């Protein structure tokens, strides 16, 4: 049985559906992420799980028991707020002890668990400090410790890294992974950073306008996006407008206006004439000089319009015959050779027939 | 401004900055010296003099000769009879009771105002301070009409009721200012971590509102101690307070030195109380200044 099951949950504000018939379930021990642009309903879902908001329709089950009617203080669910919401009049240790006191734990146990948790988040020497004496990263850790200390069934984290600077964010990301593995508590994490979601999660639900567009593991989301929105939202991608020309058992032939035919490995039974887009990651594309040969099915001539040398990789923008500017990422792995092409060079872009994916509209 | 730029600004303005600081602080300093320090010294001096024949103080020079050194007569008089100490203690008790009742009444009121929609708050605050628009004495006379039929007039209850009524806004305003600034996320966090309604109040709202309670209490306690109109109009003969006592010395008994002594002792007692309260508050305020 899933730890948390959400079935057809809808939340309306007036006529506006902030959450629209959302269903998913979370297994115990999972690092589950809700990812989506601002205003897509992530916080609303978390608030409903925590009990601060109630669904207008649908059910939420925790360990198989409906959550309806249980107030937030009696749900075994804790939240790490984006603003941290640390109690300013309590010390760090006092903040962390709070949920234990609420649960009526004994003095000895509280002291022991607070010390353990302080060690877990590397704040052993900060127990006596007040929140306003801490740095942003330290406050973040206290908020985490306070959420974790009473071992909730579920820890909800609403953009917990949003207020940190870029460097600290990356540091905290790897700490979060380690922490979650060590304590084994199920995390429901909310972010609008796709990089953060990919790096941290076991599974990600990509949301848009109150609906879940796709729910999958990070590599599946990246490699096999279900639709245009997910493809575009996660990572960089080229989206080429196409129409199905022919579909055989294993090979799909697509027609792109002004460009020609694109071959793609695809076993789906698609009908000729279906419209959609062909999604291709920049790193799947090779950029060659016109004379260089490459034995690849998909080859298109173009010229380099922009070039961004980034050291480990070079980022090219190549304009194709139909005016489409395709983006390609070339690793600079060959010894002694930094750049391959210059702006204005006539080049050929190619990719394997099993690279890229056709997305129906 | 970045710190580097601020430093530059300071260095380049070092001389004119010093001048400006003097120019800004001199007038208020002068004001305090002329209207606070000097009168306070005069009160101290007056308490050590003898009363004049027809009120005021005994003249310093009689027939061109310097008369009378300083005397501690007034202080001897004060401590020679327990009645004055009793009135002091009773006044402090009434002030304390008034403050506590004000806290109890003002807290829910301030909380409700802080919780109401932004646009309605200003109107509610205006209603709280509206009584100031009419004269204090008129409002106290109104209480005579109210308390008379209840058979409460000229009793200590009437005095405390009048005191609470007059001073309530001084408690509501600082409390409201404090409560309004509380971050609602803190209450949500407390609830999320398992705190019920009462626990949330006692563990989060109340401790964070202590600075508001403290300043409100100072604004109520000290004026109540010195108030003489209310005990005179609403209280009985046994309900004299320090304020009445002081007023009597200056206007009725014409014993200025004793009046000055009473004033001085009152000031010292208040300062002692304030000092102790500040010490106690320092401990419980830790961390709350960061938000409020
Ligand atoms: N109490 C409310 N009343 C009216 N509308 C609301 C309320 N709460 C949220 N909404 C609306 O619901 C939508 C979803 O809000 P939500 O806070 O869940 O977004 P989010 O995905 O968390 O966005 P962000 O990444 O910006 O935090 C928004 O359009 C918001 O305006
Ligand atoms: Mg949000």
């Amino acid at each position: 049985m899933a730890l948390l099951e959400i079935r057809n949950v809808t939340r309306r504000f007036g006529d506006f559906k902030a959450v629209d018939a959302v269903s998913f379930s979370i297994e115990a021990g999972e690092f589950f992420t809700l990812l989506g642009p601002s205003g897509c309903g992530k916080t609303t879902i978390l608030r409903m799980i925590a009990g601060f908001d109630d669904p207008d329709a649908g059910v939420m089950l925790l360990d198989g028991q409906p959550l309806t009617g249980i107030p937030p203080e009696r749900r075994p669910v804790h939240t790490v707020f984006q603003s941290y919401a640390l109690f300013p009049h309590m010390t760090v240790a006092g903040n962390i002890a709070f949920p234990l006191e609420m649960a009526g734990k004994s003095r000895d146990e509280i002291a022991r668990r607070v010390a353990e948790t302080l060690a877990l988040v590397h704040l052993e020497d900060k127990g006596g400090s007040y929140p306003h004496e801490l740095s942003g990263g330290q406050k973040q850790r206290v908020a985490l410790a306070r959420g974790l200390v009473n071992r909730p069934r579920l820890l909800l984290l609403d953009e917990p890294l949003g207020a940190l600077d870029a460097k600290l964010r990356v540091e905290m990301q790897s700490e979060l992974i380690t922490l979650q593995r060590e304590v084994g508590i199920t995390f429901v994490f909310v972010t609008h950073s796709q990089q953060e979601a990919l790096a941290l999660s076991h599974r990600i639900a990509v949301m848009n306008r109150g609906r879940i567009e796709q729910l999958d593991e990070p590599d599946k989301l990246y490699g096999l996006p279900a639709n245009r929105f997910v493809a575009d939202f996660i990572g960089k991608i080229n989206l080429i407008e196409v129409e199905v020309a022919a579909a055989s058992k294993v090979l799909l032939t697509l027609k792109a206006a002004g460009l020609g035919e694109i071959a793609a490995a695809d076993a789906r039974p698609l009908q000729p004439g279906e419209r959609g887009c062909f999604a291709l990651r920049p790193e799947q594309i090779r950029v060659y000089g016109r004379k260089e040969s490459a034995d690849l099915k998909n080859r298109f001539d173009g010229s380099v319009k922009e070039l961004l040398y980034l050291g480990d990789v070079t980022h090219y923008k190549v304009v194709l015959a139909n005016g489409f500017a395709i983006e390609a990422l070339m690793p600079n792995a060959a010894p002694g050779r930094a750049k391959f092409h210059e702006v204005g060079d006539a080049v050929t872009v190619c990719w394997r027939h099993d690279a890229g994916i056709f997305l129906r509209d | 401004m970045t710190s580097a730029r601020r430093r530059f600004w300071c260095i380049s303005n070092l001389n004119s900055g010093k001048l400006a600081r003097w120019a800004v602080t001199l007038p208020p300093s002068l004001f305090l010296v002329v209207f606070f320090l000097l009168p306070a010294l005069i009160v101290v001096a007056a308490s050590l003099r003898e009363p004049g024949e027809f009120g005021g103080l005994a003249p310093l020079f009689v027939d061109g000769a310097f008369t009378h050194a300083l005397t501690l007569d007034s202080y001897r008089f004060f401590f020679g009879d327990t009645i004055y100490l009793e009135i002091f203690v009773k006044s402090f008790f009434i002030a304390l009771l008034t403050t506590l009742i004000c806290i109890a009444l003002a807290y829910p009121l301030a909380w409700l105002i802080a919780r109401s929609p932004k646009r309605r708050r200003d109107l509610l605050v205006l209603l709280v301070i509206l009584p100031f628009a009419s004269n204090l004495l008129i409002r106290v006379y109104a209480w005579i009409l109210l308390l008379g039929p209840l058979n409460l007039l000229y009793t200590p209850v009437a005095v405390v009721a009048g005191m609470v009524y007059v001073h309530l806004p001084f408690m509501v305003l600082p409390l409201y200012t404090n409560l309004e600034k509380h971050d609602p996320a803190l209450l949500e966090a407390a609830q999320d971590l398992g705190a019920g309604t009462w626990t949330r109040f006692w563990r989060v709202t109340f401790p964070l509102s202590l600075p508001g309670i403290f300043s409100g209490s100072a604004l109520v306690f000290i004026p109540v101690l010195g108030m003489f109109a209310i005990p005179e109009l609403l209280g009985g003969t046994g309900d004299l307070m320090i304020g009445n006592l002081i007023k009597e010395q200056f206007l009725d008994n014409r014993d200025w030195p004793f009046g000055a002594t009473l004033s001085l002792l009152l000031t010292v007692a208040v300062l002692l109380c304030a000092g102790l309260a500040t010490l106690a508050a320092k401990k419980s305020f830790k961390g709350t200044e960061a938000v409020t």
Side-chain angles (χ1 to χ4, degrees):
Chain A
M1 183 174 49
L3 174 63
L4 177 76
E5 192 175 344
I6 288 190
R7 269 192 229 142
N8 270 318
V9 163
T10 298
R11 177 73 175 108
R12 288 187 204 90
F13 294 111
D15 287 339
F16 174 73
K17 282 184 179 170
V19 175
D20 188 2
V22 161
S23 301
F24 59 86
S25 58
I26 299 175
E27 301 299 326
E30 203 173 4
F31 197 128
F32 187 89
T33 296
L34 291 168
L35 169 68
S38 189
C40 70
K42 309 179 295 281
T43 300
T44 307
I45 290 183
L46 279 203
R47 290 179 63 81
M48 288 191 289
I49 300 175
F52 290 113
D53 206 348
D54 292 315
D56 292 311
V59 282
M60 300 189 298
L61 306 169
L62 188 70
D63 288 319
Q65 299 299 312
L67 282 171
T68 326
I70 304 178
E73 62 265 38
R74 293 207 283 113
R75 296 190 183 190
V77 174
H78 289 176
T79 307
V80 175
F81 295 84
Q82 176 168 5
S83 60
Y84 311 139
L86 298 179
F87 304 124
H89 57 299
M90 299 182 198
T91 60
V92 167
N95 267 280
I96 299 176
F98 189 83
L100 297 170
E101 287 165 10
M102 293 304 113
K105 298 280 191 262
S106 74
R107 263 164 179 260
D108 292 344
E109 186 176 357
I110 292 177
R112 186 171 50 78
R113 296 263 289 268
V114 168
E116 271 172 23
T117 313
L118 277 172
L120 193 68
V121 294
H122 313 298
L123 287 175
E124 291 92 335
D125 53 341
K126 291 285 178 201
S129 307
Y130 282 87
H132 69 268
E133 299 165 341
L134 302 179
S135 71
Q138 289 168 336
K139 280 186 201 160
Q140 170 59 60
R141 279 170 229 249
V142 177
L144 264 175
R146 191 178 66 174
L148 285 169
V149 69
N150 199 26
R151 312 264 157 79
R153 300 284 287 141
L154 212 56
L155 185 67
L156 312 176
L157 304 101
D158 195 352
E159 303 199 28
L161 309 183
L164 304 180
D165 63 51
K167 186 163 168 281
L168 210 54
R169 258 180 110 116
V170 176
E171 251 175 65
M172 281 304 295
Q173 282 175 16
S174 46
E175 270 191 44
L176 262 182
I177 299 180
T178 324
L179 200 64
Q180 199 261 346
R181 204 180 301 138
E182 272 175 38
V183 296
I185 289 172
T186 312
F187 277 23
V188 183
F189 187 88
V190 159
T191 180
H192 57 241
S193 152
Q194 45 99 10
Q195 177 269 335
E196 205 164 275
L198 291 176
L200 295 173
S201 327
H202 295 137
R203 282 192 310 152
I204 301 172
V206 181
M207 292 189 60
N208 186 28
R209 295 202 212 145
R211 297 182 145 274
I212 291 185
E213 297 278 354
Q214 189 175 1
L215 198 167
D216 229 323
E217 287 154 27
D219 55 332
K220 301 262 176 50
L221 274 184
Y222 187 82
L224 298 167
N227 55 42
R228 212 182 263 256
F229 176 82
V230 176
D232 201 27
F233 193 72
I234 307 240
K236 265 200 156 59
I237 201 156
N238 296 293
L239 294 172
I240 305 168
E241 300 301 327
V242 291
E243 193 186 305
V244 175
S248 77
K249 252 209 182 93
V250 288
L251 200 70
L252 189 63
T253 310
L254 303 163
K255 215 163 59 203
L259 201 62
E261 288 190 341
I262 297 172
D266 200 327
R268 283 177 295 177
L270 293 161
Q271 295 306 313
E274 273 192 85
R275 301 195 140 272
C277 68
F278 183 67
L280 187 66
R281 297 280 176 199
E283 65 271 19
Q284 293 174 319
I285 301 174
R286 297 288 81 119
V287 183
Y288 291 116
R290 284 280 163 80
K291 290 192 203 76
E292 289 175 281
S293 73
D295 189 19
L296 294 173
K297 265 216 172 72
N298 297 304
R299 306 171 54 93
F300 300 95
D301 288 346
S303 71
V304 178
K305 187 180 161 220
E306 269 174 37
L307 167 161
L308 216 54
Y309 176 67
L310 299 174
D312 51 348
V313 290
T314 303
H315 188 246
Y316 291 98
K317 208 173 236 179
V318 177
V319 182
L320 301 182
N322 64 347
F324 184 80
I326 199 165
E327 293 188 32
L329 208 59
M330 293 280 280
N332 297 326
R337 186 137 178 226
K339 285 187 224 171
F340 297 84
H341 313 286
E342 294 296 340
V343 173
D345 278 4
V347 292
T348 303
V349 293
C350 0
W351 61 88
R352 295 160 56 102
H353 68 283
D354 54 359
I357 177 172
F358 172 67
L359 303 172
R360 262 190 287 192
D361 277 343
Chain B
M1 212 187 310
T2 66
S3 67
R5 269 175 64 194
R6 194 182 306 136
R7 212 173 305 136
F8 171 76
W9 190 85
C10 283
I11 291 167
S12 65
N13 286 282
L14 200 57
N15 293 320
S16 59
K18 240 181 193 166
L19 204 74
R21 209 173 316 147
W22 270 107
V24 170
T25 52
L26 197 63
S29 308
L30 264 179
F31 182 90
L32 281 177
V33 166
V34 173
F35 293 105
F36 178 75
L37 191 61
L38 282 181
L41 289 174
I42 292 174
V43 171
V44 173
S47 76
L48 296 169
R49 298 285 300 163
E50 287 192 346
E53 216 167 324
F54 307 104
L57 302 170
L60 276 176
F61 297 95
V62 175
D63 300 332
F66 184 71
T67 59
H68 304 297
L70 302 174
T71 163
L72 284 172
D73 275 359
S74 298
Y75 293 87
R76 255 180 237 124
F77 190 61
F78 179 86
F79 290 105
D81 192 341
T82 53
I83 178 124
Y84 299 114
L85 265 176
E86 268 167 35
I87 291 180
F88 255 67
V89 170
K90 206 170 68 190
S91 301
F92 270 84
F93 177 74
I94 287 183
L96 189 69
L97 193 65
T98 305
T99 309
L100 290 179
I101 296 176
C102 277
I103 293 175
L105 292 180
Y107 211 106
L109 196 58
W111 188 82
L112 276 176
I113 300 177
R115 276 295 177 100
S116 50
K118 258 214 164 66
R119 260 184 283 144
R120 208 178 310 153
R121 280 184 222 162
D122 293 334
L123 180 72
L124 292 171
V125 169
L126 189 73
L127 287 179
V128 168
I129 57 174
L130 198 61
F132 291 130
S134 76
N135 183 281
L136 171 74
L137 286 177
I138 293 176
R139 285 182 284 141
V140 176
Y141 274 112
W143 274 90
I144 295 181
L145 298 180
L146 280 175
L147 292 169
L150 294 173
N151 278 332
L152 285 172
L153 203 51
Y154 310 131
T155 63
V157 177
V159 175
V160 172
M163 291 286 198
V164 167
Y165 162 73
V166 167
H167 294 92
L168 194 61
F170 295 109
M171 186 63 84
V172 174
L173 292 182
L175 257 180
Y176 158 71
T177 316
N178 172 287
L179 289 173
E180 192 219 1
K181 274 185 280 187
H182 286 201
D183 181 0
L186 293 180
L187 285 180
E188 269 193 2
Q191 185 173 18
D192 185 73
L193 296 168
T197 314
W198 274 107
T199 319
R200 292 202 290 280
F201 176 75
W202 284 116
R203 295 292 308 268
V204 181
T205 308
F206 183 74
L208 285 176
S209 66
L210 280 176
I213 294 181
F214 188 72
S215 34
S217 298
L219 287 178
V220 172
F221 188 83
I222 297 172
V224 167
L225 267 183
M227 178 65 98
F228 59 85
I230 291 174
E232 194 149 308
L233 292 174
L234 300 181
T237 42
D239 299 321
L240 276 187
M241 290 179 65
I242 312 171
N244 304 88
L245 213 52
I246 296 173
K247 189 207 111 195
E248 239 168 50
Q249 303 317 312
F250 284 99
L251 298 184
D252 306 332
N253 290 355
R254 310 222 160 189
D255 188 347
W256 284 27
F258 190 50
T261 304
L262 289 171
S263 305
L264 201 66
L265 289 174
L266 175 62
T267 308
V268 169
V270 166
L271 286 181
L272 271 178
C273 280
L276 285 178
T278 311
L279 271 184
K282 268 255 162 62
K283 267 194 187 158
S284 46
F285 283 10
K286 269 228 118 175
T288 54
E289 291 99 334
V291 257
T292 54

